[in-house]
Amino acid sequence: DAGVIQSPRHEVTEMGQEVTLRCKPISGHDYLFWYRQTMMRGLELLIYFNNNVPIDDSGMPEDRFSAKMPNASFSTLKIQPSEPRDSAVYFCASGSGTSGPSTDTQYFGPGTRLTVL
Amino acid sequence: LAKTTQPISMDSYEGQEVNITCSHNNIATNDYITWYQQFPSQGPRFIIQGYKTKVTNEVASLFIPADRKSSTLSLPRVSLSDTAVYYCLVGGDNQGGKLIFGQGTELSVKP
C-alpha cells in the first residue's frame, strides 16, 4: 500500500481564495482524521470520520472550514474564504481502531503545507 | 477531556536511556495511551500503545502505573536519529471520545 496520500503537498494562495485539500486513506481503514499543525498551537485534531460519517468536528475552527468524505477512499478539507492565520501544515491520517479511534495506529500522510498571503 | 502534559524539551547523549513522562490525570476508563514520533517536515509516526502495566516492542517500552494517570515512554540506548518530537495521545472510544495530542517533547540527542 502507498500509505496515506495527500495533495497538494504545498499550496500558496491569497487571502479570500478557496482552498481544497485532498486525502486518500489507506484501503480498508475505517477512520479518517484531519489535523492542523502550527508552531503556536501544535498538533490539533480538526475532525474525524468513521465509515465516512463525521463523528467529532468540534476542532474545526469556524464555519470557513468544512470537511467531507463522500466515499471510503477520498476526503476533502475546504477553507472558504482562506485567511493568513490558516497558514499551517494540514495532515490527514487513517486508522482501523477495533473499538474506537485511538485503539489502533493512526497512519499519517506527508501533509499539505498551506500558505495564505 | 483527558488533557495531557509533557516536558517541552529534553536533552540526552547517544547510548543513554531516555524516559519521557506524560501526565493525564483525567484519563477515562476506555482511553488508550499512544505515543508518536515526528521528524521535521514529516507526519507523526506510531511508536507504541498501551492500556495498563507495561508494553514493549522493538523500539520502545511504555510504562503505565495502576492509576493510569501518567505514562512513561522509555527509549533504550538512543542514537542521533532519535532526535525528534514525541507526542503522547490519550483518548478515543466508540462513543466519539475526544482525541488529545500533548504539546510534544522535543528530544535532542547529542553525540
Side-chain angles (χ1 to χ4, degrees), chain B residues 12-58:
Chain B
S12 182
Y13 291 92
E14 282 189 292
Q16 288 187 332
E17 178 184 79
V18 171
N19 295 309
I20 306 174
T21 297
C22 179
S23 297
H24 28 79
N25 291 321
N26 298 322
I27 188 169
T29 302
N30 294 332
D31 287 344
Y32 278 71
I33 301 158
T34 312
W35 285 80
Y36 285 81
Q37 175 192 56
Q38 186 178 27
F39 298 111
S41 302
Q42 295 185 23
R45 185 171 68 104
F46 173 87
I47 302 175
I48 197 167
Q49 183 182 75
Y51 183 79
K52 61 180 179 181
T53 63
K54 176 184 174 182
V55 180
T56 298
N57 62 22
E58 63 276 8

Side-chain angles (χ1 to χ4, degrees), chain B residues 59-70:
Chain B
V59 298
S61 294
L62 179 59
F63 299 92
I64 305 170
D67 66 5
R68 303 201 327 124
K69 292 184 183 298
S70 67

Side-chain angles (χ1 to χ4, degrees), chain A residues 5 22-23 30 33 36 41 51 53-54 57 69 76 82 85 90 92 99 102 106-107 113 116:
Chain A
I5 300 172
R22 297 173 176 79
C23 175
D30 48 11
F33 309 82
R36 177 174 69 175
R41 300 178 66 88
N51 292 321
V53 176
D57 66 354
M69 192 165 185
T76 59
S82 58
R85 59 192 169 121
Y90 291 81
C92 176
S99 58
S102 82
Q106 291 186 33
Y107 295 84
R113 182 174 296 276
V116 183

Side-chain angles (χ1 to χ4, degrees), chain A residues 20-96:
Chain A
T20 299
L21 311 181
R22 297 173 176 79
C23 175
K24 177 178 168 55
I26 293 173
S27 177
H29 284 182
D30 48 11
Y31 284 91
L32 184 138
F33 309 82
W34 282 102
Y35 293 88
R36 177 174 69 175
Q37 187 171 39
T38 61
M39 288 294 293
M40 292 296 294
R41 300 178 66 88
L43 195 60
E44 304 173 278
L45 176 66
L46 301 178
I47 185 172
Y48 77 89
F49 297 82
N50 179 212
N51 292 321
N52 313 337
V53 176
I55 301 301
D56 185 348
D57 66 354
S58 59
M60 295 285 265
E62 49 197 271
D63 292 345
R64 298 184 296 107
F65 285 69
S66 63
K68 295 182 179 180
M69 192 165 185
N71 57 63
S73 60
F74 184 66
S75 177
T76 59
L77 178 67
K78 184 177 294 186
I79 308 172
Q80 166 64 21
S82 58
E83 297 181 3
R85 59 192 169 121
D86 301 329
S87 297
V89 179
Y90 291 81
F91 289 104
C92 176
S94 69
S96 57

